[in-house]
Amino acid sequence: MGAPTGEQAVTLPVLVIGAGLAGTVAAARLQARGVPVRVLADRPGATLLHGGGWQLGPDALRESHPAAEAALDDALDFVRIGLESLALTEGLFDLPDVEGARRACELAPATHAVVDGFGKGHAVADLSPLGHPFAAMQGRGTVVTVEWPPYPDVFGRSFAAMAHRLEADPTEPARLIEALKRALKGTRHDALLLPPVLGISRTEALRRQVAAALGIPVGEALDALPSTPGFRLHAALTAWLNAARVPMQTARVASISLDPLGVQVGDLLVPARAIVLATGRYLTGGLTMHPAVREPLADLPLTPSVPTNPLWHARTDGPYDGRVFETGVGHDPGFRALGLDGRPVHPHVYAVGDLLGGGDTLTQASASGMCIASAWVAATTIADGFATGEKT
Ligand SMILES: Cc1cc2nc3c(=O)[nH]c(=O)nc-3n(C[C@H](O)[C@H](O)[C@H](O)COP(=O)(O)OP(=O)(O)OC[C@H]3O[C@@H](n4cnc5c(N)ncnc54)[C@H](O)[C@@H]3O)c2cc1C
């Protein structure tokens, strides 16, 4: 196949397209294995909307993507170290979100995971100036009114905005603690549930600080949109790539060339040793919908196939045929992208994360598991090829 050959190919980087959960794990793993890598991405995707409860879905993965399930534990070990600031905790959690719904997940930042241990005697903080009915919607615990935040002008009056503000202003945590102490004075609660406002990149430190000051465990609910945990995850992924010194470039890739192997950015064809597509789904343009559902960078075939115009299949209980969310790029056990003949479209082109087809990972509750395991396998496959001096 027409990639650059010989010494030139060996020195070329692997190009990872996308810097969400999947692209970051792939790039960090390649870098850790000593493989030259570069990330190209143009804007945050679904990862910025992540609600905080990581759904790994090992059973669903075993059914639909056994290669991912087999690598899940190794991928998890790697991710927990890379995202140390999130203090990711494993378990079988049933966690509340800000709207009082319960969400099952197998991994969560400590600030949410700790809530699983709360008994019946906990307080729920009503941050009344924000005007969000968070506390009223919880249905468990006793609501206590907290006169914080003091700002009427918080953009969007969202928890995410408050979390940014709390971290940006070094005097703010003390103000929050004082307000919480006033709210809890004279009450006997054994824990405190907050909405997700405890900062963006130092959440665990802030949570411990607040818990130590109050003398009871403190935890946060998962979020809806805009999502504080999504902002935290995005920040932690970016910090991981920076700490690992992975070169990153903001760029929109227009297409992929298989011969010679490379990606087209504007007028430039950037040559690659291998390409990892971590471009997500509809939100980011990893898949496009008009005039038909397709993968736009290499026109990779999608599986399961979808109707040319999904709107023809509109149902009364939802806007689109379910296959629109199940479809995506097919892969071999090493997560090489498959072509029409069911064989890898190129020995060095990979697909990972939300871009993959074969099931709706949101309804199968396996989205995060799929992202990290597929990325880990693809990067490992590439690195093993490097290590054995595989010819391009
Ligand atoms: C609202 C919402 C809530 C969710 N909540 C949860 C949850 O609570 N728990 C859970 O486990 N999962 C959740 N998920 C799923 C989870 O967020 C996704 O599975 C995951 O973030 C996908 O990561 P990704 O890296 O595959 O894609 P994305 O994060 O979408 O990243 C795609 C990347 O590709 C880049 N890109 C795309 N095309 C190009 C191009 N042509 N050129 C350059 N760059 C390009 C984008 O810039 C972006 O960086 C949620 C998803 C949504 C939408």
Side-chain angles (χ1 to χ4, degrees):
M1 189 73 59
T5 53
E7 282 177 26
Q8 186 197 2
V10 172
T11 56
L12 287 175
V14 176
L15 296 180
V16 176
I17 310 174
L21 181 56
T24 300
V25 172
R29 171 82 176 141
L30 285 162
Q31 183 86 338
R33 290 283 308 265
V35 176
V37 58
R38 191 166 142 199
V39 175
L40 304 171
D42 72 338
R43 59 177 180 232
T47 302
L48 198 69
L49 309 178
H50 196 288
W54 291 46
Q55 298 185 312
L56 303 176
D59 295 339
L61 290 184
R62 195 173 302 120
E63 281 283 307
S64 54
H65 301 277
E69 193 272 335
L72 192 54
D73 285 347
D74 288 334
L76 257 183
D77 289 345
F78 183 66
V79 167
R80 286 183 60 180
I81 294 169
L83 300 179
E84 199 181 358
S85 65
L86 296 180
L88 290 169
T89 308
E90 279 179 77
L92 282 178
F93 300 120
D94 170 37
L95 300 175
D97 68 14
V98 291
E99 288 164 359
R102 311 290 298 189
R103 297 201 215 163
C105 60
E106 297 95 353
L107 186 77
T111 194
H112 308 297
V114 69
V115 176
D116 202 57
F118 286 6
K120 289 185 178 160
H122 70 272
V124 181
D126 178 11
L127 304 186
S128 46
L130 275 182
H132 186 289
F134 156 75
M137 294 173 96
Q138 287 306 309
R140 297 186 194 189
T142 309
V143 175
V144 292
T145 302
V146 183
E147 288 303 321
W148 184 90
Y151 312 105
D153 62 330
V154 181
F155 174 73
R157 302 172 78 84
S158 71
F159 298 129
M162 224 35 252
H164 279 285
R165 189 111 182 209
L166 186 78
E167 191 161 301
D169 182 346
T171 63
E172 203 53 55
R175 267 202 284 265
L176 170 63
I177 288 169
E178 283 315 307
L180 291 171
K181 279 184 175 167
R182 281 197 301 277
L184 292 170
K185 196 169 177 193
T187 66
R188 290 168 65 87
H189 296 292
D190 54 23
L192 174 68
L193 179 68
L194 286 166
V197 293
L198 293 174
I200 298 296
S201 61
R202 294 189 301 110
T203 299
E204 187 50 13
L206 283 167
R207 185 186 73 82
R208 285 172 186 268
Q209 183 186 347
V210 175
L214 300 181
I216 52 175
V218 171
E220 295 179 314
L222 303 172
D223 215 350
L225 300 178
S227 170
T228 311
F231 282 110
R232 289 173 183 158
L233 177 56
H234 176 70
L237 292 169
T238 306
W240 189 8
L241 290 181
N242 283 333
R245 297 181 184 279
V246 174
M248 284 187 277
Q249 190 181 335
T250 303
R252 184 85 195 159
V253 173
S255 62
I256 285 174
S257 159
L258 298 180
D259 189 7
L261 191 63
V263 308
Q264 192 73 37
V265 180
D267 293 338
L268 200 66
L269 180 70
V270 186
R273 159 86 187 222
I275 295 171
V276 180
L277 285 163
T279 46
R281 283 196 184 174
Y282 303 102
L283 271 172
T284 48
L287 296 181
T288 55
M289 214 179 231
H290 300 290
V293 178
R294 62 184 285 265
E295 188 289 308
L297 297 189
D299 220 358
L300 295 167
L302 302 181
T303 173
S305 63
V306 275
T308 315
N309 182 348
L311 290 173
W312 291 345
H313 293 253
R315 303 178 314 199
T316 50
D317 60 344
Y320 298 119
D321 185 280
R323 278 179 293 165
V324 172
F325 297 106
E326 292 168 5
T327 197
V329 173
H331 64 88
D332 78 353
F335 285 89
R336 290 179 189 83
L338 297 182
L340 272 175
D341 59 1
R343 295 154 52 111
V345 70
H346 187 288
H348 304 297
V349 173
Y350 296 77
V352 297
D354 269 11
L355 178 64
L356 296 169
D360 179 349
T361 52
L362 276 182
T363 54
Q364 289 178 348
S366 61
S368 291
M370 187 64 187
C371 284
I372 64 171
S374 59
W376 197 89
V377 174
T380 303
T381 311
I382 296 169
D384 288 349
F386 257 64
T388 57
E390 183 183 88
K391 295 268 184 298
T392 52

Short mmCIF file of all heavy atoms in Angstrom, two decimals, residues 239-276:
data_model
loop_
_atom_site.label_atom_id
_atom_site.label_comp_id
_atom_site.label_asym_id
_atom_site.label_seq_id
_atom_site.Cartn_x
_atom_site.Cartn_y
_atom_site.Cartn_z
N ALA A 239 -4.62 18.37 29.94
CA ALA A 239 -3.45 18.40 30.84
C ALA A 239 -2.61 17.14 30.65
O ALA A 239 -1.37 17.19 30.71
CB ALA A 239 -3.92 18.52 32.29
N TRP A 240 -3.28 16.02 30.44
CA TRP A 240 -2.55 14.75 30.22
C TRP A 240 -1.67 14.84 28.98
O TRP A 240 -0.47 14.51 29.00
CB TRP A 240 -3.57 13.61 30.10
CG TRP A 240 -3.01 12.22 30.10
CD1 TRP A 240 -1.71 11.85 30.34
CD2 TRP A 240 -3.73 11.01 29.87
NE1 TRP A 240 -1.60 10.48 30.26
CE2 TRP A 240 -2.82 9.95 29.98
CE3 TRP A 240 -5.07 10.74 29.57
CZ2 TRP A 240 -3.21 8.61 29.80
CZ3 TRP A 240 -5.46 9.41 29.41
CH2 TRP A 240 -4.53 8.36 29.52
N LEU A 241 -2.25 15.32 27.88
CA LEU A 241 -1.48 15.43 26.63
C LEU A 241 -0.33 16.43 26.80
O LEU A 241 0.78 16.20 26.31
CB LEU A 241 -2.38 15.86 25.47
CG LEU A 241 -3.38 14.81 24.98
CD1 LEU A 241 -4.19 15.35 23.81
CD2 LEU A 241 -2.66 13.53 24.55
N ASN A 242 -0.59 17.53 27.50
CA ASN A 242 0.48 18.52 27.74
C ASN A 242 1.60 17.92 28.57
O ASN A 242 2.78 18.08 28.25
CB ASN A 242 -0.08 19.76 28.44
CG ASN A 242 -0.84 20.65 27.48
OD1 ASN A 242 -0.57 20.66 26.28
ND2 ASN A 242 -1.81 21.38 27.98
N ALA A 243 1.22 17.23 29.65
CA ALA A 243 2.24 16.64 30.54
C ALA A 243 3.05 15.59 29.79
O ALA A 243 4.26 15.44 30.03
CB ALA A 243 1.57 16.03 31.77
N ALA A 244 2.40 14.86 28.89
CA ALA A 244 3.11 13.83 28.13
C ALA A 244 3.87 14.42 26.94
O ALA A 244 4.55 13.70 26.21
CB ALA A 244 2.12 12.77 27.63
N ARG A 245 3.75 15.73 26.76
CA ARG A 245 4.41 16.45 25.66
C ARG A 245 4.00 15.90 24.29
O ARG A 245 4.85 15.72 23.41
CB ARG A 245 5.92 16.43 25.82
CG ARG A 245 6.40 17.13 27.08
CD ARG A 245 7.91 17.11 27.18
NE ARG A 245 8.34 17.69 28.43
CZ ARG A 245 8.46 18.99 28.69
NH1 ARG A 245 8.15 19.84 27.75
NH2 ARG A 245 8.86 19.41 29.86
N VAL A 246 2.75 15.62 24.14
CA VAL A 246 2.24 15.20 22.82
C VAL A 246 1.96 16.47 22.02
O VAL A 246 1.20 17.33 22.48
CB VAL A 246 0.94 14.39 22.96
CG1 VAL A 246 0.34 14.09 21.59
CG2 VAL A 246 1.18 13.11 23.74
N PRO A 247 2.57 16.64 20.84
CA PRO A 247 2.27 17.82 20.04
C PRO A 247 0.80 17.84 19.60
O PRO A 247 0.28 16.82 19.15
CB PRO A 247 3.19 17.67 18.81
CG PRO A 247 4.16 16.61 19.15
CD PRO A 247 3.53 15.74 20.19
N MET A 248 0.17 19.00 19.79
CA MET A 248 -1.24 19.14 19.43
C MET A 248 -1.41 20.32 18.51
O MET A 248 -0.78 21.35 18.71
CB MET A 248 -2.08 19.38 20.68
CG MET A 248 -2.31 18.17 21.52
SD MET A 248 -3.47 18.55 22.83
CE MET A 248 -2.40 19.29 24.04
N GLN A 249 -2.28 20.17 17.56
CA GLN A 249 -2.52 21.26 16.61
C GLN A 249 -4.02 21.43 16.41
O GLN A 249 -4.73 20.43 16.23
CB GLN A 249 -1.86 20.89 15.28
CG GLN A 249 -1.80 22.00 14.28
CD GLN A 249 -1.15 21.53 12.98
OE1 GLN A 249 -0.36 20.57 12.98
NE2 GLN A 249 -1.49 22.18 11.90
N THR A 250 -4.47 22.67 16.45
CA THR A 250 -5.87 22.93 16.15
C THR A 250 -6.02 23.01 14.64
O THR A 250 -5.46 23.91 14.01
CB THR A 250 -6.33 24.25 16.80
OG1 THR A 250 -6.09 24.16 18.20
CG2 THR A 250 -7.81 24.48 16.56
N ALA A 251 -6.71 22.06 14.07
CA ALA A 251 -6.85 22.03 12.61
C ALA A 251 -8.06 21.19 12.25
O ALA A 251 -8.39 20.24 12.95
CB ALA A 251 -5.60 21.42 11.98
N ARG A 252 -8.71 21.55 11.17
CA ARG A 252 -9.81 20.74 10.64
C ARG A 252 -9.25 19.90 9.50
O ARG A 252 -8.75 20.44 8.50
CB ARG A 252 -10.93 21.65 10.12
CG ARG A 252 -12.17 20.90 9.64
CD ARG A 252 -13.10 20.60 10.77
NE ARG A 252 -14.12 19.60 10.43
CZ ARG A 252 -14.77 18.87 11.33
NH1 ARG A 252 -14.53 19.03 12.62
NH2 ARG A 252 -15.67 18.00 10.96
N VAL A 253 -9.30 18.61 9.65
CA VAL A 253 -8.84 17.71 8.58
C VAL A 253 -9.95 17.60 7.54
O VAL A 253 -11.10 17.33 7.89
CB VAL A 253 -8.49 16.32 9.17
CG1 VAL A 253 -8.18 15.33 8.06
CG2 VAL A 253 -7.30 16.44 10.13
N ALA A 254 -9.57 17.81 6.27
CA ALA A 254 -10.59 17.80 5.21
C ALA A 254 -10.82 16.39 4.67
O ALA A 254 -11.93 16.03 4.32
CB ALA A 254 -10.17 18.72 4.08
N SER A 255 -9.74 15.61 4.60
CA SER A 255 -9.87 14.25 4.07
C SER A 255 -8.62 13.46 4.42
O SER A 255 -7.64 14.01 4.92
CB SER A 255 -10.07 14.28 2.54
OG SER A 255 -8.93 14.86 1.95
N ILE A 256 -8.69 12.18 4.11
CA ILE A 256 -7.54 11.30 4.35
C ILE A 256 -7.10 10.72 3.02
O ILE A 256 -7.94 10.31 2.21
CB ILE A 256 -7.96 10.17 5.29
CG1 ILE A 256 -8.06 10.72 6.70
CG2 ILE A 256 -6.95 9.04 5.28
CD1 ILE A 256 -8.59 9.70 7.63
N SER A 257 -5.81 10.69 2.81
CA SER A 257 -5.27 10.05 1.61
C SER A 257 -4.68 8.70 2.03
O SER A 257 -3.93 8.62 3.00
CB SER A 257 -4.19 10.95 1.00
OG SER A 257 -3.35 10.18 0.17
N LEU A 258 -5.06 7.66 1.30
CA LEU A 258 -4.52 6.33 1.60
C LEU A 258 -3.24 6.08 0.81
O LEU A 258 -2.43 5.22 1.17
CB LEU A 258 -5.55 5.25 1.28
CG LEU A 258 -6.86 5.31 2.09
CD1 LEU A 258 -7.80 4.19 1.67
CD2 LEU A 258 -6.59 5.26 3.58
N ASP A 259 -3.04 6.80 -0.26
CA ASP A 259 -1.89 6.54 -1.12
C ASP A 259 -1.42 7.82 -1.80
O ASP A 259 -2.01 8.22 -2.80
CB ASP A 259 -2.28 5.50 -2.17
CG ASP A 259 -1.07 5.01 -2.95
OD1 ASP A 259 0.05 5.38 -2.58
OD2 ASP A 259 -1.27 4.25 -3.92
N PRO A 260 -0.42 8.54 -1.22
CA PRO A 260 0.35 8.18 -0.03
C PRO A 260 -0.46 8.41 1.23
O PRO A 260 -1.40 9.23 1.22
CB PRO A 260 1.54 9.14 -0.09
CG PRO A 260 1.00 10.35 -0.80
CD PRO A 260 0.01 9.84 -1.81
N LEU A 261 -0.06 7.75 2.31
CA LEU A 261 -0.82 7.88 3.54
C LEU A 261 -0.61 9.26 4.17
O LEU A 261 0.53 9.68 4.40
CB LEU A 261 -0.38 6.79 4.53
CG LEU A 261 -1.28 6.63 5.76
CD1 LEU A 261 -2.69 6.19 5.39
CD2 LEU A 261 -0.67 5.65 6.76
N GLY A 262 -1.71 9.95 4.44
CA GLY A 262 -1.59 11.28 5.05
C GLY A 262 -2.95 11.91 5.22
O GLY A 262 -3.97 11.34 4.81
N VAL A 263 -2.96 13.08 5.84
CA VAL A 263 -4.23 13.78 6.02
C VAL A 263 -4.14 15.14 5.35
O VAL A 263 -3.10 15.80 5.37
CB VAL A 263 -4.61 13.92 7.52
CG1 VAL A 263 -4.56 12.59 8.23
CG2 VAL A 263 -3.76 14.95 8.24
N GLN A 264 -5.25 15.55 4.78
CA GLN A 264 -5.31 16.81 4.06
C GLN A 264 -5.80 17.90 5.02
O GLN A 264 -6.90 17.81 5.56
CB GLN A 264 -6.29 16.67 2.89
CG GLN A 264 -6.26 17.81 1.90
CD GLN A 264 -5.01 17.79 1.01
OE1 GLN A 264 -4.54 16.73 0.62
NE2 GLN A 264 -4.47 18.97 0.72
N VAL A 265 -4.94 18.92 5.24
CA VAL A 265 -5.35 20.07 6.06
C VAL A 265 -5.16 21.30 5.18
O VAL A 265 -4.03 21.66 4.85
CB VAL A 265 -4.48 20.19 7.33
CG1 VAL A 265 -4.92 21.40 8.15
CG2 VAL A 265 -4.57 18.92 8.17
N GLY A 266 -6.24 21.94 4.79
CA GLY A 266 -6.14 23.03 3.82
C GLY A 266 -5.50 22.50 2.55
O GLY A 266 -5.89 21.45 2.03
N ASP A 267 -4.45 23.21 2.09
CA ASP A 267 -3.77 22.79 0.85
C ASP A 267 -2.69 21.76 1.10
O ASP A 267 -2.03 21.30 0.17
CB ASP A 267 -3.10 24.01 0.18
CG ASP A 267 -4.14 24.98 -0.31
OD1 ASP A 267 -5.30 24.55 -0.51
OD2 ASP A 267 -3.81 26.18 -0.46
N LEU A 268 -2.48 21.43 2.36
CA LEU A 268 -1.32 20.62 2.74
C LEU A 268 -1.69 19.16 2.95
O LEU A 268 -2.66 18.86 3.67
CB LEU A 268 -0.77 21.20 4.05
CG LEU A 268 0.67 20.86 4.42
CD1 LEU A 268 1.63 21.48 3.42
CD2 LEU A 268 0.95 21.39 5.84
N LEU A 269 -0.92 18.26 2.36
CA LEU A 269 -1.08 16.84 2.69
C LEU A 269 -0.02 16.50 3.74
O LEU A 269 1.18 16.52 3.44
CB LEU A 269 -0.91 15.96 1.45
CG LEU A 269 -1.09 14.46 1.75
CD1 LEU A 269 -2.55 14.14 2.07
CD2 LEU A 269 -0.60 13.59 0.60
N VAL A 270 -0.45 16.22 4.94
CA VAL A 270 0.50 15.92 6.03
C VAL A 270 0.73 14.42 6.03
O VAL A 270 -0.19 13.64 6.30
CB VAL A 270 -0.08 16.37 7.40
CG1 VAL A 270 0.96 16.20 8.50
CG2 VAL A 270 -0.58 17.80 7.34
N PRO A 271 1.97 13.98 5.73
CA PRO A 271 2.22 12.53 5.65
C PRO A 271 2.20 11.88 7.03
O PRO A 271 2.54 12.51 8.03
CB PRO A 271 3.60 12.43 5.01
CG PRO A 271 4.25 13.74 5.27
CD PRO A 271 3.19 14.76 5.45
N ALA A 272 1.81 10.63 7.06
CA ALA A 272 1.67 9.93 8.34
C ALA A 272 2.24 8.53 8.25
O ALA A 272 2.19 7.89 7.20
CB ALA A 272 0.20 9.85 8.74
N ARG A 273 2.75 8.06 9.37
CA ARG A 273 3.15 6.66 9.48
C ARG A 273 1.90 5.78 9.64
O ARG A 273 1.80 4.68 9.13
CB ARG A 273 4.08 6.51 10.69
CG ARG A 273 4.21 5.13 11.27
CD ARG A 273 5.28 4.33 10.57
NE ARG A 273 5.29 2.96 11.02
CZ ARG A 273 6.38 2.27 11.27
NH1 ARG A 273 7.55 2.81 11.11
NH2 ARG A 273 6.30 1.01 11.64
N ALA A 274 0.98 6.30 10.43
CA ALA A 274 -0.33 5.64 10.62
C ALA A 274 -1.32 6.74 10.98
O ALA A 274 -0.91 7.83 11.39
CB ALA A 274 -0.25 4.59 11.71
N ILE A 275 -2.60 6.46 10.83
CA ILE A 275 -3.64 7.44 11.16
C ILE A 275 -4.64 6.78 12.11
O ILE A 275 -5.08 5.65 11.88
CB ILE A 275 -4.38 7.91 9.88
CG1 ILE A 275 -3.41 8.67 8.97
CG2 ILE A 275 -5.58 8.80 10.24
CD1 ILE A 275 -3.99 8.99 7.59
N VAL A 276 -4.96 7.50 13.19
CA VAL A 276 -6.01 7.04 14.10
C VAL A 276 -7.18 8.01 13.99
O VAL A 276 -7.05 9.19 14.35
CB VAL A 276 -5.52 6.97 15.56
CG1 VAL A 276 -6.65 6.49 16.47
CG2 VAL A 276 -4.30 6.06 15.68
#
